[in-house]
């Protein structure tokens, strides 16, 4: 590999590292802007100013913000998320207890999102790229509206599902999949509409390419045209959208889990904000950013892989092995 090629290969890693540091700065700044802190809330109404100052000193909240940020960043590099200010337990332990439930919920929601998006794009393809107004309208609906509507219809009116998704202590959501339906649909429906809007443009561009139009005019079966001539142009943008959705789904769990009583990291974030448990808030807020950055890095590397040249047969020159090349 030449130095220039190595530089191109390492560029996504450098960009991801820079964005990761920027994400930590944004998360820390956001927690600093929260009104009050754990020291003030724990002594409100029953302590003097001296007691409040002593509590803030005990928790380390009286140190300069820059010092606390660098200390937190150093801990992240070492894999130390700190200790909860509310319960004095390691933040990593709190997340280890909640993360499996959230991971299952996000995985189910992402699978439903992919299925719904693929169905919507297939219908758009069969219509020649027309339509999409419904997807744009559904993408604009706030997530609480989906939660309220789904709960009212599926749990209240029809009685098919439990209205809350409480898990037994130490239980797995897979033991009763019905508990996943309402929060997963609350996450998946707006995400699928958003993904459809984003990918509709890429689908329209692919359908306007001369070889695709020619294949359709020659009467090739629609599934064959879709598989052979259209899908290769959607792989790269679809990977990027999937990465974006993964981070969005993790961030969206805070609302869905709280509304349906689902015991995951999103519910942990909400409860930590209430008591200004800053280490827990920082870790919970950094989780979707980390998922998004990792997903975008993998999507970027995969997209570059599909665009790598490969030797042509007999000609001794390289032809593009992916959408956008002369070979297409």
């Amino acid at each position: 590999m030449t130095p220039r090629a190595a530089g191109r290969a390492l560029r996504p890693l450098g960009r991801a590292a820079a964005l990761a540091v920027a994400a930590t700065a944004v998360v820390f700044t956001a927690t600093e802007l929260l009104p009050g802190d754990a020291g003030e809330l724990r002594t409100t109404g029953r302590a003097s100013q001296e007691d409040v100052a002593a509590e803030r000193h005990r928790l380390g909240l009286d140190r300069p913000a820059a010092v606390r940020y660098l200390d937190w960043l150093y801990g992240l590099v070492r894999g130390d998320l700190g200790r909860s200010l509310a319960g004095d337990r390691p933040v990593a332990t709190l997340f280890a207890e909640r993360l499996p439930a959230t991971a299952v919920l996000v995985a189910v929601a992402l699978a439903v999102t992919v299925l719904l998006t693929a169905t919507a794009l297939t219908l758009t393809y069969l219509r020649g790229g027309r339509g999409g107004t419904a997807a744009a309208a559904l993408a604009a609906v706030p997530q609480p509206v989906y939660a309220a509507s789904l709960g009212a219809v599926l749990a209240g009116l029809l009685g098919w599902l439990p209205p809350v998704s409480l898990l037994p202590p130490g239980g797995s959501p897979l033991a009763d999949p019905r508990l996943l339906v309402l929060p997963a649909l609350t996450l998946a429906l707006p995400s699928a509409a958003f993904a459809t809007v984003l990918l509709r443009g890429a689908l329209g561009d692919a359908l306007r390419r001369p070889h695709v139009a020619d294949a359709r005019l020659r009467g090739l079966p629609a599934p064959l045209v879709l598989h052979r001539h259209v899908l290769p142009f959607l792989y790269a943008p679809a990977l990027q959208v999937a990465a974006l959705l993964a981070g969005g789904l993790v961030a969206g769990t805070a609302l869905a889990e709280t509304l349906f009583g689902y015991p995951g990291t999103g519910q942990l974030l909400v409860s930590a904000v209430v008591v200004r448990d800053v280490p827990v808030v920082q870790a919970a807020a950094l989780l979707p950013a980390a998922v998004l950055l990792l997903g975008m890095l993998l999507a970027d590397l995969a997209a570059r892989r599909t665009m790598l040249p490969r030797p042509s047969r007999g000609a001794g020159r390289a032809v593009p092995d992916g959408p956008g090349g002369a070979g297409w």
Side-chain angles (χ1 to χ4, degrees):
M1 179 181 292
T2 65
R4 185 175 181 181
R8 287 198 302 266
L10 293 176
R11 194 174 302 161
L13 296 176
R15 183 166 58 246
L19 290 174
V21 175
T24 62
V26 171
V27 168
F28 184 85
T29 303
T31 56
E32 284 294 298
L33 296 177
L34 290 173
D37 57 36
E40 296 175 355
L41 292 179
R42 293 175 67 170
T43 56
T44 297
R46 56 184 175 83
S48 63
Q49 291 297 324
E50 290 77 11
D51 293 333
V52 173
E55 183 68 12
R56 296 186 74 250
H57 177 73
R58 187 184 70 83
L59 297 175
L61 300 175
D62 57 345
R63 295 180 301 162
V67 174
R68 286 185 282 115
Y69 169 69
L70 293 177
D71 185 53
W72 176 58
L73 190 60
Y74 178 64
L76 289 179
V77 173
R78 293 186 295 114
D80 182 11
L81 299 178
R83 300 185 70 86
S84 168
L85 300 181
D88 196 30
R89 297 178 61 195
V91 175
T93 301
L94 295 176
F95 271 80
E97 296 172 353
R98 301 280 192 127
L99 192 56
T102 294
V104 172
L105 174 60
V106 171
V108 172
L110 185 59
V112 175
T113 298
V114 171
L115 178 62
L116 294 177
T117 303
T119 302
L121 290 177
T122 301
L123 294 176
T124 303
Y125 163 73
L126 294 176
R127 298 183 60 184
R130 298 185 300 273
T133 305
L138 291 174
V141 177
Q143 193 182 65
V145 175
Y146 283 100
S149 302
L150 291 169
V153 175
L154 298 180
L157 183 62
L158 300 177
W160 291 347
L161 300 169
V164 294
S165 300
L166 296 175
L167 299 180
S172 169
L174 297 178
D176 188 359
R178 297 184 308 156
L179 301 177
L180 290 167
V181 176
L182 287 178
L185 287 179
T186 299
L187 293 171
L189 291 178
S191 298
F194 182 62
T196 302
V197 172
L198 291 180
L199 292 175
R200 228 182 114 257
L203 176 61
D205 291 340
L207 293 178
R208 285 190 291 271
R209 290 181 177 269
H211 73 283
V212 176
D214 179 69
R216 291 164 65 93
L217 289 175
R218 286 189 288 116
L220 292 181
L224 180 62
V225 177
L226 177 64
H227 174 71
R228 181 177 297 177
H229 300 294
V230 177
L231 286 183
F233 292 93
L234 297 181
Y235 288 150
L239 287 173
Q240 294 170 339
V241 170
L244 179 63
L245 290 179
L249 288 172
V250 175
T253 57
L255 176 65
E257 290 180 358
T258 301
L259 290 176
F260 294 108
Y262 189 83
T265 58
Q267 191 182 68
L268 179 65
L269 169 62
V270 174
S271 60
V273 169
V274 173
V275 297
R276 302 299 188 268
D277 194 347
V278 173
V280 176
V281 174
Q282 290 172 337
L286 196 59
L287 179 61
V291 172
L292 174 60
L293 289 176
L294 178 61
M296 291 301 292
L297 174 62
L298 296 178
D300 196 359
L301 294 175
R304 288 171 179 268
R305 178 66 178 173
T306 61
M307 299 299 291
L308 288 177
R310 61 184 172 93
S312 62
R313 296 177 182 174
R317 62 184 181 89
V319 297
D321 184 21
W328 290 81

